[in-house]
Structure formats: structure tokens, C-alpha cells
Amino acid sequence: MNVQYVTFGGVTVGVCILVAVLVEWWPGLRPLRKDPLRHLGALLPFLLAWAYGALTILGVGGLIGWIARTTLWISNWLGDAALVWGVGGSIGQHSGGVRYLPLTATGAGVVLILTVAMAAAAKKSKYGDVLKKGTWCGICLGTSAGVAGFAAVPLAQAANWLGTTVYGAIG
């Protein structure tokens, strides 16, 4: 299994996706104060997809891992190009990888189940576009050492625990 690390460009792409989603979502201060749960609940599909995207980049192998690593590689390249040509920055800098807990066999099983659920939801749900953006953002930020990287260990632990619980119950 080949672990891909995110560059400053990849983190920039992830943060740009996050900012775009938040700007599209922003209901305004008055509506947010009036009904915060409803408005914050509208972010739930993005957050769930972000968690899924972060899980897929945490060392999952096979086709799902390859797709996640390829997505990260493309995002790194696009972000690095934007930094060089857009603001005169440098390329090839790693943003400092995060140490993460690898997924167990049962945790990987959970990721496969989540992949089926995400593919079906992205195709049939009214939140399909948001789910795709959340997954892409999670892939970009899942191995970063910054604010988003802190979620890698709890996500892996949760997937491993859920896998042990589900597969232990049937085995």
C-alpha cells in the first residue's frame, strides 16, 4: 500500500473546497440565530462525506485506495500549479504528514460498505454534489498535519471499532 502525502497545493485545494461550501451554505447571521439546528444540520452531508474522504486516504488499498491517492495526486498538482502561477509560490513542499492509525481488516470492510453507501447517495440523493465535494475535501485534508489532520486517528479508530463490532456480531 502506497501512502500519498499532501502538499501545500493539495491542502489549498481542500481548503478552497471547504470555503466554497461554507460560502454557499451561509444562511446569514439572523437566520442562523433564529434556527441554528436546521441550518447547521444542512452541513451534515458535507461533514459525513468529508469523514469518508479522510478515511479513504488513510491507507486503504485496492481500487478505492487507488482512486483516493489519484484524487490527492491530481489535487496536489492542481494546487501546486495554482500556487506557482497564481501567487508565485513554490511547489513540491509537503505540508507535514499526520501520523495516523492504520485501518484493520474490519475497518477496511467498513470503508467498503461506506463506499457503496456514498456512491448510491451521490447518485440518488439531492445532496450528491455536496457529497462529492465533501469526499474530495476529506481526501485533500485527511493526511494534512493541520487543523483537519487531527481527525485521522479518531476516524480510523471509529471505523476499526465499528468493523470489529459489526463483523464480531456476525462471526
Side-chain angles (χ1 to χ4, degrees):
M1 186 167 2
N2 186 10
V3 177
Q4 176 90 24
Y5 291 100
V6 69
T7 65
F8 289 137
V11 170
T12 302
V13 168
V15 171
C16 285
I17 294 168
L18 177 62
V19 166
V21 167
L22 290 175
V23 167
E24 290 171 2
W25 161 82
W26 181 248
L29 193 54
R30 182 171 285 165
L32 188 59
R33 284 183 178 160
K34 186 174 182 176
D35 193 1
L37 289 179
R38 182 174 69 87
H39 291 295
L40 291 173
L43 285 177
L44 192 58
F46 178 82
L47 293 174
L48 292 173
W50 184 94
Y52 166 75
L55 271 175
T56 63
I57 201 65
L58 291 177
V60 174
L63 182 61
I64 296 169
W66 179 82
I67 291 169
R69 288 188 305 275
T70 302
T71 301
L72 182 58
W73 176 80
I74 290 168
S75 300
N76 284 340
W77 186 86
L78 288 171
D80 288 344
L83 287 173
V84 168
W85 295 101
V87 294
S90 346
I91 62 169
Q93 302 160 331
H94 291 281
S95 68
V98 65
R99 297 189 76 117
Y100 57 87
L101 179 71
L103 293 171
T104 61
T106 57
V110 167
V111 173
L112 179 60
I113 294 166
L114 290 174
T115 299
V116 171
M118 288 299 291
K123 183 174 174 100
K124 294 289 186 179
S125 170
K126 70 178 183 179
Y127 301 108
D129 191 42
V130 172
L131 294 174
K132 292 172 191 172
K133 289 177 186 176
T135 300
W136 187 11
C137 184
I139 288 171
C140 289
L141 298 178
T143 59
S144 71
V147 174
F150 78 94
V153 171
L155 285 173
Q157 286 175 334
N160 290 341
W161 172 84
L162 184 59
T164 300
T165 303
V166 169
Y167 289 103
I170 61 173

